[in-house]
Amino acid sequence: VGHVFDSLGCGRAALITTVGQTATPTAEAFVEAVASIPHRQYFQVSWYELADFRRDRTMKTGFAKMSRAWFPLRLWRVEASTGGPERWHPE
């Protein structure tokens, strides 16, 4: 799904607040919202760019086109570590 959001200009360090008409306050809500969008359908996305958040708190909005042709949606969790590299695991 990353390439779908990348096409908006939504950066890697972004906080996505809505997908379509659905608020996404949690990772689970985000997954449910994205999973409900059919292949090739356009949908609205609102987000904040966290890299620039100290100087620019403007909410960005754009439209993306869902593409499910390459990979199915999959949720990943990061394993907390103290000083070591992050470890990501699929659910």
Side-chain angles (χ1 to χ4, degrees):
V1 177
H3 64 279
V4 171
F5 291 98
D6 190 44
S7 69
L8 290 168
C10 181
R12 185 171 186 214
L15 175 62
I16 298 173
T17 58
T18 57
V19 172
Q21 300 297 319
T22 305
T24 56
T26 64
E28 291 77 13
F30 173 79
V31 169
E32 288 179 25
V34 170
S36 70
I37 299 169
H39 181 55
R40 295 186 178 158
Q41 180 174 327
Y42 285 93
F43 61 99
Q44 184 174 339
V45 179
S46 298
W47 74 95
Y48 293 100
E49 291 290 341
L50 297 181
D52 298 330
F53 197 67
R54 287 184 181 222
R55 65 179 177 82
D56 180 9
R57 296 186 181 200
T58 305
M59 180 182 288
K60 315 256 189 299
T61 302
F63 285 87
K65 184 177 181 180
M66 180 52 70
S67 174
R68 298 193 186 281
W70 292 7
F71 304 102
L73 180 64
R74 192 169 192 186
L75 184 63
W76 291 70
R77 297 262 184 211
V78 68
E79 180 181 301
S81 65
T82 54
E86 295 177 340
R87 291 203 164 140
W88 290 86
H89 302 282
E91 289 192 351

